[in-house]
Every structure is written in C-alpha cells, then in structure tokens.
Amino acid sequence: ILYSLIVFLEVPTGAIGDAIGRKWTVVWSFVCRMFFFVFLTFVPFGNSVQLNLILSILAMLGFSFAQTLFSGTFTAWCVDSLREKAPDIGYEHLLSKGWTSSFLTQSVGGILGVVLYTWHFSYLAYLFGATVCVFCVVFCLGEMEEDKTLEFLDRKRVSLETITKRMGEILGVGFKVFRQSSVILTLVLVFASYNFVLNVIDYLWPVYLRS
C-alpha cells in the first residue's frame, strides 16, 4: 500500500514542485514527514485496533507525500545549485558524502530503535524523528535558496489546471521513455520488487523480535 501511494503521488507532487519551486517542495516534504512521525508516536498508546489502524493509515499518507515531495526535487536543487555556485564540483561529490552519512545514521538509528522497542519506549524514537523534521524545516526556510536560473509560479497563482497540465506532460514523457527503452522499464520493475521485499523485512522484524 505504501509504495502504491508513492507511485500514485509521484507525478502530482512533481508537478507541484515544478510550479511552486524546489525550496517550498522540500519544506513541505519535511512537514509531511513530521506528521508521519507524530502519528506513529501515538500508535503505542492506542487502546483499540481501529484507532491504531487509522493512525497507521495517516502515517502512511504522511510518509508517501514526504517521500514523493522530496524525491528528485532535492537532487534537482543540488545539481542546479552546484551549476550556479560551484560548477567545478560534481554532484557525485555530494552524493557520496550524503549516502555515507545516511548509512551511518541509519546504523545508529537502527540500534537505537531496537533498544527502545525492546524496552517498550518506541514512541521516543518517533518523537525524536518528528523533532529532527522540525529543525530541518527551520533550516531549509533560513538557509535554502531557490535557483536563480529557474522560474516558478507564484504560489498564489498555482491552480488545479496548472498542476494537471504539468502532470500530463510528465506522464507523456515517462511513457515515451518506457516505450523507447526496455532497459529503463526493467530497472524500474526490479527496483520496485527490491523495495517490496525490503519493506516486508522492515515491517516484520518487530513482530519476530517481540515474539
């Protein structure tokens, strides 16, 4: 369900990013991710299956919007910002550092999450995640600059017609690429299958660990 939502939202959120700019798209992605953590924080305190199901669905919606708003948009901002301010530095330089930091923090976070889960304090990990998202929003609002070479619509002028038109353009280009290159289509399917298996493992380990 989670990745179905991400696939469904990828185009409309991309169109929104093209319309209002990358900075605000990234900011809203962190806001959605904050709600994802907030909803998960209350799950351990739910006193019914129905309430926990509602909280989980709201959390999935928040994560799906956060993932699709951030995906691609932040990368595009990094590439264009480097082209404007530091054309001699390649994006792979930032990419390698970013992935290194990501894997290190995931390792630390994974250990912390297991410890807090076995001690029945899992909500503290989610609360910490929500707090980090708040700091990210404040940081992006203060430090993130929109690319000067690109023009975006005024947020007050963004309409459903504008976003729908942009969605059609994105879908058209995507289907054209799939028709012309079976390799890209295969890679997309393999990546989707990999993420499906990865999520099965991610969401089943707490059940196994608790039992």
Side-chain angles (χ1 to χ4, degrees), residues 9-211:
L9 294 171
E10 188 72 36
V11 173
T13 53
I16 291 172
D18 289 344
I20 67 175
R22 280 121 181 219
K23 172 180 177 177
W24 285 100
T25 307
V26 171
V27 167
W28 279 110
S29 74
F30 282 118
V31 172
C32 293
R33 196 174 294 270
M34 178 192 67
F35 281 112
F36 161 72
F37 284 118
V38 168
F39 288 130
L40 288 181
T41 301
F42 289 103
V43 169
F45 303 102
N47 52 12
S48 67
V49 176
Q50 291 82 359
L51 178 59
N52 283 340
L53 182 61
I54 292 173
L55 290 172
S56 299
I57 292 174
L58 291 174
M60 282 196 299
L61 286 172
F63 182 84
S64 300
F65 274 102
Q67 187 71 12
T68 51
L69 285 169
F70 191 85
S71 173
T73 302
F74 185 71
T75 300
W77 178 82
C78 289
V79 171
D80 288 326
S81 295
L82 283 175
R83 186 175 57 188
E84 288 182 3
K85 300 178 180 179
D88 296 332
I89 300 178
Y91 173 63
E92 65 278 359
H93 179 72
L94 293 182
L95 186 66
S96 60
K97 289 182 177 294
W99 277 107
T100 300
S101 301
S102 176
F103 283 129
L104 288 176
T105 51
Q106 284 183 46
S107 300
V108 175
I111 295 172
L112 180 63
V114 170
V115 172
L116 291 175
Y117 182 80
T118 52
W119 290 353
H120 302 280
F121 290 119
S122 58
Y123 65 93
L124 291 178
Y126 300 134
L127 191 60
F128 177 73
T131 304
V132 170
C133 288
V134 172
F135 281 109
C136 288
V137 168
V138 174
F139 179 81
C140 289
L141 287 174
E143 299 294 331
M144 197 172 180
E145 298 179 0
E146 201 65 83
D147 302 315
K148 295 180 175 60
T149 56
L150 302 176
E151 293 184 3
F152 301 101
L153 296 177
D154 186 354
R155 289 185 297 280
K156 296 179 181 179
R157 293 170 50 204
V158 176
S159 63
L160 181 61
E161 180 183 358
T162 304
I163 295 175
T164 304
K165 181 181 178 181
R166 182 58 183 158
M167 285 172 57
E169 294 173 355
I170 296 173
L171 284 172
V173 172
F175 283 119
K176 182 179 180 180
V177 171
F178 284 153
R179 287 198 306 269
Q180 294 177 347
S181 176
S182 58
V183 175
I184 294 179
L185 178 60
T186 303
L187 286 173
V188 170
L189 293 175
V190 170
F191 184 70
S193 302
Y194 160 76
N195 276 288
F196 173 76
V197 175
L198 191 63
N199 274 271
V200 170
I201 297 172
D202 281 346
Y203 291 105
L204 282 183
W205 75 259
V207 178
Y208 174 77
L209 187 63
R210 182 62 58 84
S211 63

